[in-house]
Amino acid sequence: MSFSQLKDALHWIADYQRDLKEQYQKLAQDAPKTKVGAVLQYLGDHAGETETGLRRYLETAPAEMLETWSRTTPELPQIPQLEKSKCCLCSSTVKEVTEMALSIHAAKDSMYQTLEEFSELQSQRELLRTLREAEAAEIRRVVRDIARFES
């Protein structure tokens, strides 16, 4: 899959975050009052926050940056991986949930990197670099916070 405009990629990611939030919440309901359930609820909350942030940005970002057509549209092999991850979330142990969440963050970071490499405008590259930094911060936060759940 590829996108001709950055706005399409960001809309896809926002929709993915919405779906991921719903999946995490569904799994959390199936594991109430357990550490796994608490971790899944935590991850669902953060997926929802990411979706909200992206949608707000899409409403206010300069149209020039979002709607510029790319001369080359990179294939994004991360998309099938992300779709598969969303459908195959495992909720049996905190470790498995954590590994899946980190895998999803790594795939999104890789996708942002690919989009950054093919971006036409400096403002697009800066945005994608910022999103990559946010993914790195989220990975650190997930690892730190989930470690607290296990203690």
Side-chain angles (χ1 to χ4, degrees), residues 82-107:
L82 286 165
E83 287 291 351
K84 182 180 177 188
S85 295
K86 180 179 66 180
C87 296
C88 300
L89 289 173
C90 179
S91 63
S92 60
T93 68
V94 170
K95 182 179 179 191
E96 288 175 339
V97 172
T98 303
E99 288 172 355
M100 182 58 67
L102 294 177
S103 171
I104 288 169
H105 283 295

Side-chain angles (χ1 to χ4, degrees), residues 43-57:
L43 292 170
D45 291 346
H46 282 281
E49 290 170 11
T50 301
E51 175 200 2
T52 300
L54 279 171
R55 293 204 193 280
R56 265 195 222 121
Y57 185 80

Side-chain angles (χ1 to χ4, degrees), residues 45-130:
D45 291 346
H46 282 281
E49 290 170 11
T50 301
E51 175 200 2
T52 300
L54 279 171
R55 293 204 193 280
R56 265 195 222 121
Y57 185 80
L58 284 162
E59 292 172 1
T60 60
E64 174 188 275
M65 179 178 56
L66 295 177
E67 296 176 3
T68 297
W69 289 86
S70 298
R71 290 187 195 115
T72 55
T73 55
E75 281 299 314
L76 297 168
Q78 302 89 347
I79 289 181
Q81 176 188 354
L82 286 165
E83 287 291 351
K84 182 180 177 188
S85 295
K86 180 179 66 180
C87 296
C88 300
L89 289 173
C90 179
S91 63
S92 60
T93 68
V94 170
K95 182 179 179 191
E96 288 175 339
V97 172
T98 303
E99 288 172 355
M100 182 58 67
L102 294 177
S103 171
I104 288 169
H105 283 295
K108 287 191 320 185
D109 177 68
S110 176
M111 183 176 165
Y112 292 143
Q113 181 178 10
T114 301
L115 289 168
E116 180 183 350
E117 290 168 2
F118 285 88
S119 293
E120 305 274 332
L121 303 174
Q122 181 63 28
S123 59
Q124 291 174 327
R125 289 188 292 277
E126 289 170 4
L127 168 64
L128 291 160
R129 198 170 307 117
T130 299

